[in-house]
Amino acid sequence: MAGSVGSEDGDIGFQIAPMVDVVFVLMLFFMACAGSQVTERELNIALPSGAAAKSANNTKTPIVIDISPEGQVSMNNEVYGAPADRSLQRLREWLKATIEQFGGEDPVIIRPQPETKHERIVDVLNAAAWAGVKNLTFS
């Protein structure tokens, strides 16, 4: 018979070579997947508890002081120092009164614009130091 493969009986038999190829391909696939497996690690995080939410009196409200490139010092869109005012007396008095009323735990954030002169930032730092600010940072 033309085109037949195998013996004269018509039985081609069990061929092992294609089965070995399939097993090797599956083995390579699982080895590649196992190598890219992400190992789990323990993260040390502290989740907030319900007790912290109940004590709303302990919330700290940040005091944000903005400094414009011209040197104008403001908080909440209210001007506390003109560019020519080097002593920033109004800012000093407001910070001092706020610290006396609410304590010194509230953070004071100084947020100068990129073009602000460093001399003006130092003026604000001096006013904060005079008022007794203990928790100070930049934004």
Side-chain angles (χ1 to χ4, degrees):
M1 190 167 164
S4 67
V5 177
S7 64
E8 293 289 323
D9 303 354
D11 182 24
I12 57 173
F14 181 73
Q15 294 186 355
I16 192 83
M19 296 300 285
V20 171
D21 289 345
V22 169
V23 169
F24 281 138
V25 168
L26 287 173
M27 190 172 66
L28 284 172
F29 173 78
F30 288 121
M31 285 174 54
C33 289
S36 65
Q37 203 172 35
V38 177
T39 58
E40 293 183 17
R41 295 191 175 111
E42 183 179 340
L43 297 176
N44 295 327
I45 58 172
L47 297 176
S49 65
K54 292 178 184 175
S55 62
N57 295 339
N58 293 340
T59 59
K60 296 178 183 176
T61 305
I63 300 169
V64 180
I65 302 173
D66 293 315
I67 308 173
S68 71
E70 297 81 26
Q72 181 176 347
V73 178
S74 62
M75 287 185 296
N76 294 332
N77 295 327
E78 186 175 340
V79 178
Y80 282 86
D85 182 17
R86 293 286 312 269
S87 66
L88 298 171
Q89 191 62 33
R90 184 170 176 218
L91 177 66
R92 289 178 183 214
E93 292 170 0
W94 187 88
L95 285 173
K96 184 97 170 152
T98 303
I99 289 173
E100 288 174 357
Q101 183 178 2
F102 298 107
E105 297 300 319
D106 291 340
V108 175
I109 301 171
I110 298 176
R111 190 169 54 185
Q113 297 296 320
E115 300 85 21
T116 304
K117 293 182 180 179
H118 290 95
E119 181 180 14
R120 192 57 172 173
I121 298 171
V122 170
D123 292 341
V124 174
L125 286 172
N126 289 337
W130 182 87
V133 173
K134 295 178 185 171
N135 190 358
L136 183 78
T137 187
F138 287 91
S139 172

Coordinates of all heavy atoms in Angstrom, one line a residue, residues 23-64:
V23 N 7.4 15.6 27.7 CA 7.8 15.6 29.1 C 8.9 16.6 29.4 O 8.8 17.4 30.4 CB 8.2 14.2 29.6 CG1 8.9 14.2 31.0 CG2 7.0 13.2 29.6
F24 N 9.9 16.7 28.5 CA 10.9 17.7 28.7 C 10.4 19.1 28.6 O 10.8 20.0 29.3 CB 12.1 17.5 27.7 CG 13.0 16.4 28.1 CD1 13.4 15.5 27.1 CD2 13.4 16.2 29.4 CE1 14.3 14.4 27.5 CE2 14.3 15.2 29.7 CZ 14.7 14.3 28.8
V25 N 9.5 19.4 27.6 CA 8.9 20.7 27.5 C 8.1 21.1 28.7 O 8.2 22.2 29.2 CB 8.0 20.8 26.2 CG1 7.2 22.0 26.2 CG2 8.9 20.7 25.0
L26 N 7.3 20.1 29.3 CA 6.6 20.4 30.5 C 7.5 20.6 31.7 O 7.3 21.5 32.5 CB 5.6 19.2 30.8 CG 4.4 19.1 29.9 CD1 3.6 17.8 30.2 CD2 3.5 20.3 30.1
M27 N 8.6 19.9 31.7 CA 9.5 20.1 32.8 C 10.2 21.4 32.7 O 10.4 22.1 33.7 CB 10.6 18.9 32.8 CG 11.5 18.9 34.0 SD 12.6 17.5 34.0 CE 13.6 17.8 32.7
L28 N 10.6 21.9 31.6 CA 11.2 23.2 31.4 C 10.2 24.3 31.8 O 10.5 25.3 32.4 CB 11.6 23.4 29.9 CG 12.9 22.7 29.6 CD1 13.2 22.8 28.1 CD2 14.1 23.3 30.3
F29 N 8.9 24.1 31.4 CA 7.9 25.1 31.7 C 7.7 25.2 33.2 O 7.7 26.3 33.8 CB 6.6 24.7 31.1 CG 5.4 25.6 31.5 CD1 5.2 26.8 30.9 CD2 4.5 25.1 32.5 CE1 4.2 27.6 31.3 CE2 3.5 25.9 32.9 CZ 3.3 27.2 32.3
F30 N 7.6 24.1 33.9 CA 7.5 24.2 35.4 C 8.7 24.7 36.1 O 8.6 25.4 37.1 CB 7.0 22.8 35.9 CG 5.6 22.5 35.6 CD1 5.3 21.4 34.8 CD2 4.6 23.3 36.0 CE1 4.0 21.0 34.5 CE2 3.3 23.0 35.6 CZ 3.0 21.9 34.9
M31 N 9.9 24.4 35.6 CA 11.1 24.9 36.2 C 11.2 26.4 36.0 O 11.6 27.2 36.9 CB 12.3 24.2 35.5 CG 12.5 22.8 36.0 SD 13.9 21.9 35.1 CE 15.2 23.0 35.3
A32 N 10.8 26.9 34.8 CA 10.8 28.4 34.6 C 9.8 29.1 35.5 O 10.1 30.2 36.0 CB 10.6 28.7 33.1
C33 N 8.7 28.5 35.7 CA 7.7 29.1 36.5 C 8.1 29.1 38.0 O 7.8 30.0 38.7 CB 6.3 28.4 36.4 SG 5.5 28.7 34.8
A34 N 8.8 28.0 38.4 CA 9.2 27.9 39.8 C 10.3 28.9 40.1 O 10.4 29.5 41.2 CB 9.7 26.5 40.1
G35 N 11.1 29.2 39.1 CA 12.2 30.2 39.3 C 11.7 31.6 39.5 O 12.4 32.5 40.1
S36 N 10.6 32.0 38.9 CA 10.1 33.3 39.0 C 9.1 33.5 40.1 O 8.4 34.5 40.1 CB 9.5 33.7 37.6 OG 8.3 32.9 37.4
Q37 N 9.0 32.5 40.9 CA 8.0 32.6 42.0 C 8.5 33.6 43.1 O 9.7 33.6 43.4 CB 7.8 31.2 42.6 CG 6.6 31.0 43.3 CD 6.4 29.5 43.7 OE1 7.4 28.9 44.1 NE2 5.2 29.0 43.7
V38 N 7.6 34.5 43.5 CA 7.9 35.5 44.5 C 7.8 34.9 45.9 O 6.8 34.3 46.2 CB 7.0 36.7 44.4 CG1 7.3 37.7 45.4 CG2 7.0 37.3 43.0
T39 N 8.9 35.1 46.7 CA 8.9 34.5 48.0 C 8.2 35.5 48.9 O 8.4 36.8 48.8 CB 10.3 34.3 48.5 OG1 11.0 35.5 48.5 CG2 11.0 33.2 47.7
E40 N 7.4 35.0 49.8 CA 6.6 35.9 50.7 C 7.5 36.2 51.9 O 8.2 35.4 52.4 CB 5.3 35.2 51.2 CG 4.3 35.0 50.1 CD 3.1 34.4 50.6 OE1 2.8 34.4 51.8 OE2 2.3 33.8 49.8
R41 N 7.4 37.5 52.4 CA 8.2 37.9 53.5 C 7.2 38.6 54.5 O 6.2 39.1 54.1 CB 9.3 38.9 53.1 CG 10.3 38.2 52.2 CD 11.5 39.1 52.1 NE 12.6 38.4 51.3 CZ 12.9 38.7 50.1 NH1 12.4 39.7 49.5 NH2 13.9 38.0 49.5
E42 N 7.7 38.7 55.7 CA 6.8 39.3 56.7 C 7.1 40.8 56.7 O 8.2 41.3 56.7 CB 7.2 38.7 58.1 CG 6.4 39.3 59.2 CD 6.8 38.7 60.6 OE1 7.4 37.6 60.6 OE2 6.4 39.3 61.6
L43 N 6.0 41.6 56.7 CA 6.1 43.0 56.8 C 5.8 43.5 58.2 O 4.7 43.1 58.7 CB 5.1 43.7 55.8 CG 5.4 43.3 54.3 CD1 4.3 44.0 53.4 CD2 6.7 43.9 53.9
N44 N 6.6 44.3 58.7 CA 6.3 44.9 60.0 C 5.6 46.2 59.9 O 6.2 47.2 59.7 CB 7.7 45.1 60.8 CG 8.4 43.8 61.1 OD1 7.7 42.8 61.3 ND2 9.7 43.8 61.0
I45 N 4.3 46.1 60.0 CA 3.4 47.3 59.9 C 2.5 47.3 61.1 O 2.2 46.3 61.7 CB 2.6 47.3 58.6 CG1 1.7 46.1 58.5 CG2 3.5 47.4 57.4 CD1 0.7 46.2 57.3
A46 N 2.2 48.5 61.5 CA 1.2 48.7 62.6 C -0.1 49.2 62.0 O -0.1 50.4 61.5 CB 1.8 49.6 63.6
L47 N -1.1 48.5 62.1 CA -2.4 48.9 61.6 C -3.1 49.8 62.7 O -2.9 49.5 63.9 CB -3.3 47.7 61.3 CG -2.8 46.9 60.1 CD1 -3.7 45.7 59.9 CD2 -2.7 47.7 58.9
P48 N -3.8 50.8 62.3 CA -4.5 51.6 63.3 C -5.6 50.8 64.0 O -6.3 50.0 63.5 CB -5.1 52.7 62.5 CG -5.2 52.2 61.1 CD -4.1 51.2 61.0
S49 N -5.7 51.1 65.3 CA -6.8 50.4 66.1 C -8.0 51.3 66.2 O -7.9 52.5 66.0 CB -6.2 50.0 67.5 OG -5.9 51.1 68.2
G50 N -9.0 50.7 66.7 CA -10.3 51.5 66.9 C -10.1 52.5 68.0 O -10.9 53.5 68.1
A51 N -9.2 52.3 69.0 CA -9.1 53.2 70.1 C -8.6 54.5 69.7 O -8.9 55.6 70.2 CB -8.2 52.6 71.1
A52 N -7.7 54.5 68.7 CA -7.1 55.8 68.2 C -8.2 56.7 67.5 O -8.2 57.9 67.6 CB -6.0 55.5 67.2
A53 N -9.2 56.0 66.9 CA -10.2 56.8 66.2 C -11.2 57.4 67.2 O -11.8 58.4 67.0 CB -11.0 55.9 65.3
K54 N -11.3 56.8 68.4 CA -12.2 57.3 69.4 C -11.7 58.6 70.1 O -12.4 59.4 70.5 CB -12.5 56.2 70.5 CG -13.3 55.0 69.9 CD -13.5 54.0 71.0 CE -14.2 52.8 70.4 NZ -14.3 51.7 71.4
S55 N -10.4 58.6 70.2 CA -9.8 59.8 70.9 C -9.5 60.9 69.8 O -8.3 61.0 69.4 CB -8.5 59.4 71.6 OG -7.6 58.9 70.8
A56 N -10.5 61.6 69.4 CA -10.3 62.6 68.4 C -9.6 63.9 68.9 O -9.2 64.7 68.2 CB -11.6 63.0 67.8
N57 N -9.5 64.0 70.2 CA -8.8 65.2 70.8 C -7.3 65.1 70.6 O -6.7 66.1 70.7 CB -9.2 65.2 72.3 CG -10.6 65.4 72.5 OD1 -11.3 65.9 71.7 ND2 -11.1 65.1 73.7
N58 N -6.8 64.0 70.3 CA -5.3 63.9 70.1 C -4.9 64.1 68.7 O -3.7 63.9 68.4 CB -4.9 62.5 70.6 CG -5.1 62.2 72.0 OD1 -5.2 63.2 72.8 ND2 -5.1 61.0 72.5
T59 N -5.7 64.5 67.8 CA -5.3 64.8 66.4 C -4.5 66.0 66.4 O -4.8 67.0 67.0 CB -6.6 64.9 65.5 OG1 -7.4 66.0 66.0 CG2 -7.4 63.7 65.5
K60 N -3.5 65.9 65.6 CA -2.5 67.1 65.4 C -2.9 67.8 64.1 O -2.9 67.1 63.0 CB -1.1 66.6 65.4 CG -0.7 66.0 66.7 CD 0.7 65.4 66.7 CE 1.0 64.8 68.0 NZ 2.4 64.2 68.0
T61 N -3.1 69.0 64.2 CA -3.4 69.8 63.0 C -2.2 70.6 62.6 O -1.6 71.4 63.3 CB -4.6 70.8 63.3 OG1 -5.7 70.1 63.8 CG2 -4.9 71.6 62.0
P62 N -1.7 70.3 61.4 CA -0.5 71.0 60.9 C -0.7 72.5 60.7 O -1.8 72.9 60.2 CB -0.1 70.3 59.7 CG -1.3 69.7 59.1 CD -2.2 69.4 60.3
I63 N 0.2 73.3 61.0 CA 0.2 74.8 60.7 C 1.1 75.0 59.5 O 2.3 74.7 59.5 CB 0.7 75.6 61.9 CG1 -0.2 75.3 63.1 CG2 0.8 77.1 61.5 CD1 0.4 75.9 64.4
V64 N 0.5 75.3 58.3 CA 1.3 75.5 57.1 C 1.5 76.9 56.8 O 0.6 77.7 56.7 CB 0.5 74.8 55.9 CG1 1.3 75.0 54.6 CG2 0.2 73.4 56.2

